[in-house]
Amino acid sequence: MQTVNIGLFGFGVVGEGIYHVLQQKPQLGVRIQRIVIKHPEKNRNAPSVLFSTDANTILQDADIALVVELIDDADAAFDIALHALRSGKSVISANKKMIAAHLPILVETARAHEVSFLYEAAVCGSVPVIRNLEEYFDNDLITHITGIVNGSTNFILTHMHKKSIPYSTALQQAQEKGYAESNPALDVEGWDAANKIRIACVHAFGAYVDAKCILVKGITAISDFDIQYAKEKGYVIKLIATCSVDADGVLTEISVLPTFIPRYHPLRLTNDAFNGILIGGQLTDEQFLYGKGAGRYPTASAVLSDISAYTYQYRYAYKKGIQKVHEVRDVKATCYIRFQPQSAPDFSQIGEVHEYYRTAKAHVVIVTGSLQAIVSACAGNHISLIRFPEPVAAQWKTLESLQEEAVYVS
Ligand code: HSE
């Protein structure tokens, strides 16, 4: 077996993880030839001879045919990836922000130079979403993808719900466990999930959607009051990323929104830093992918899988194309909105208000209307927006009745 020499950019949580895995598994035949880092003053858990601060020690090394880019800075990551591809090197990246922002040019460059550009780790860590969409779901029958694609926010919401831990403490714990981005605003404001669903949407539907078309609301406004409301109604709150098409294959939604998840729903099982993705199809209803989406070794596992794919010249085929999409149709949705009366929009302009109630602590409306109008009216930290789960409620009722039947039979 021929040894694969790799040049590694970054030695953070994931970079160090992949280094340790390769140390422990020499049988994989992968050797880290050079590691480029930004901060040479930091103590590193690897021989100092491997490290350099000069990107050219990898980019100009003819013995390195594969660059593994695991740095945090999306702009620097883009420069490295583009330069490496143009130098005829294959690239593996986990930088979802960089990939989401620059996918077409990166794919075009990789194709022009006949090299691989792989990024399984960028979407849901260890869960093989991209490769499954590319290989198994490569037909035109997918109707939607929906699920939990950010481990940090799922960890925070799970702990707020189950352990009644305040938001700030739960966020700190997610950071300590290495789940959060170095700028955790990307997690809690929903942008990390938005980048992931934007990438997945290319592989599912061939649609590369403008970032401004993604409806994004994070979890920063979610309070104990909202958690309590969810508990009383038998729901949990999850940050759900969705993209869907109509019967003509036209994109109807791409979004990241806090959502009430009812009992017996598969995503209800997805807790802590786990990710869970439902892939909906015309023939299959839904299939569920579940696993660890963040953290050192789960992410390293996806990088390792890409390294292995590289060894047999695997390349994504993008069978559905990479069509730039600047407009997405709208859907109707029902949402819970908690707001401060002094800064509230006129909800009757947005849709039909079914309920309005106020307590000493909160004002809440339940509104049905255009999802785009609702999300744009509820921007900012002072308004909490949580979507009700109508779109596939019929299926969930079926699950619920099945469960009841099972209890009855037993
Ligand atoms: N911050 C990300 C998350 C890391 O919490 O999911 C994995 O992409």
Side-chain angles (χ1 to χ4, degrees):
M1 185 173 58
Q2 218 186 337
T3 303
V4 177
N5 287 328
I6 69 174
L8 178 63
F9 282 89
F11 203 68
V13 172
V14 184
E16 195 176 330
I18 196 82
Y19 172 79
H20 285 151
V21 172
L22 294 177
Q23 286 296 105
Q24 282 155 21
K25 305 229 173 282
Q27 66 272 26
L28 294 173
V30 182
R31 178 173 161 267
I32 296 185
Q33 177 135 328
R34 176 75 56 207
I35 306 171
V36 167
I37 47 166
K38 198 167 156 196
H39 299 289
E41 69 285 357
K42 280 192 191 165
N43 271 338
R44 307 288 180 173
N45 232 340
S48 57
V49 65
L50 285 175
F51 291 95
S52 164
T53 53
D54 178 4
N56 287 328
T57 56
I58 290 178
L59 296 173
Q60 292 181 359
D61 185 337
D63 284 342
I64 295 177
L66 176 62
V67 168
V68 177
E69 175 286 299
L70 300 172
I71 67 171
D72 209 36
D73 174 341
D75 295 333
F78 178 55
D79 287 345
I80 290 163
L82 201 59
H83 193 133
L85 294 170
R86 284 182 178 153
S87 313
K89 297 184 193 302
S90 291
V91 172
I92 290 170
S93 173
N95 196 316
K96 46 262 152 128
K97 188 174 175 203
M98 181 274 283
I99 297 163
H102 301 290
L103 189 66
I105 176 80
L106 292 164
V107 173
E108 197 181 297
T109 311
R111 278 181 175 159
H113 293 271
E114 297 183 359
V115 290
S116 302
F117 173 52
L118 305 174
Y119 42 82
E120 188 62 69
V123 181
C124 297
S126 67
V127 189
V129 175
I130 301 297
R131 210 92 62 82
N132 266 303
L133 289 172
E134 274 282 308
E135 302 303 319
Y136 184 81
F137 295 97
D138 62 337
N139 49 51
D140 288 328
L141 305 176
I142 301 183
T143 53
H144 61 274
I145 304 178
T146 188
I148 296 161
V149 301
N150 180 273
S152 307
T153 46
N154 202 38
F155 179 91
I156 293 167
L157 291 172
T158 303
H159 284 240
M160 285 174 78
H161 191 97
K162 287 196 172 168
K163 301 187 181 165
S164 302
I165 288 175
Y167 170 85
S168 53
T169 314
L171 169 59
Q172 197 184 338
Q173 288 176 0
Q175 287 176 292
E176 284 162 10
K177 286 178 180 289
Y179 302 147
E181 300 299 298
S182 57
N183 171 10
L186 284 169
D187 296 298
V188 295
E189 289 174 6
W191 288 104
D192 180 74
N195 289 329
K196 290 168 178 167
I197 197 73
R198 194 175 177 204
I199 298 168
C201 194
V202 172
H203 294 273
F205 303 118
Y208 177 63
V209 185
D210 253 357
K212 68 173 171 42
C213 297
I214 309 176
L215 305 177
V216 181
K217 177 86 181 168
I219 65 163
T220 50
I222 303 284
S223 72
D224 296 347
F225 185 93
D226 305 329
I227 300 276
Q228 204 46 46
Y229 176 92
K231 280 184 180 171
E232 280 166 17
K233 305 279 179 197
Y235 292 126
V236 294
I237 303 167
K238 301 278 186 194
L239 186 66
I240 301 295
T242 301
C243 59
S244 58
V245 292
D246 64 15
D248 301 322
V250 178
L251 212 60
T252 50
E253 175 181 351
I254 174 161
S255 66
V256 174
L257 297 170
T259 303
F260 291 121
I261 302 294
R263 289 192 186 97
Y264 311 124
H265 188 277
L267 294 175
R268 183 97 174 211
L269 305 170
T270 307
N271 289 316
D272 295 318
F274 280 84
N275 285 188
I277 297 273
L278 288 159
I279 300 177
Q282 288 173 26
L283 306 181
T284 54
D285 286 343
E286 283 182 329
Q287 286 167 296
F288 186 36
L289 298 177
Y290 169 85
K292 284 199 168 161
R296 168 168 291 176
Y297 292 112
T299 314
S301 134
V303 172
L304 201 60
S305 177
D306 278 350
I307 294 174
S308 160
Y310 158 83
T311 64
Y312 53 86
Q313 284 103 43
Y314 179 75
R315 290 170 197 166
Y316 301 137
Y318 302 97
K319 292 174 198 141
K320 296 171 192 172
I322 308 179
Q323 195 69 38
K324 290 190 181 161
V325 173
H326 306 290
E327 206 175 323
V328 174
R329 278 192 192 160
D330 201 1
V331 290
K332 213 169 168 189
T334 300
C335 297
Y336 157 108
I337 303 169
R338 182 178 48 74
F339 59 97
Q340 310 288 339
Q342 61 276 20
S343 57
D346 180 356
F347 293 109
S348 63
Q349 295 295 311
I350 308 172
E352 186 190 345
V353 177
H354 306 280
E355 290 177 36
Y356 172 36
Y357 61 91
R358 49 194 277 202
T359 69
K361 286 189 183 163
H363 291 243
V364 171
V365 286
I366 311 292
V367 181
T368 298
S370 138
L371 188 61
Q372 291 178 4
I374 292 174
V375 174
S376 93
C378 296
N381 272 346
H382 55 289
I383 301 188
S384 175
L385 163 67
I386 308 169
R387 182 185 195 172
F388 281 96
E390 285 96 337
V392 279
Q395 270 181 42
W396 298 341
K397 276 198 194 119
T398 309
L399 283 172
E400 191 162 343
S401 53
L402 281 175
Q403 181 88 8
E404 275 162 12
E405 208 170 291
V407 171
Y408 177 71
V409 169
S410 68

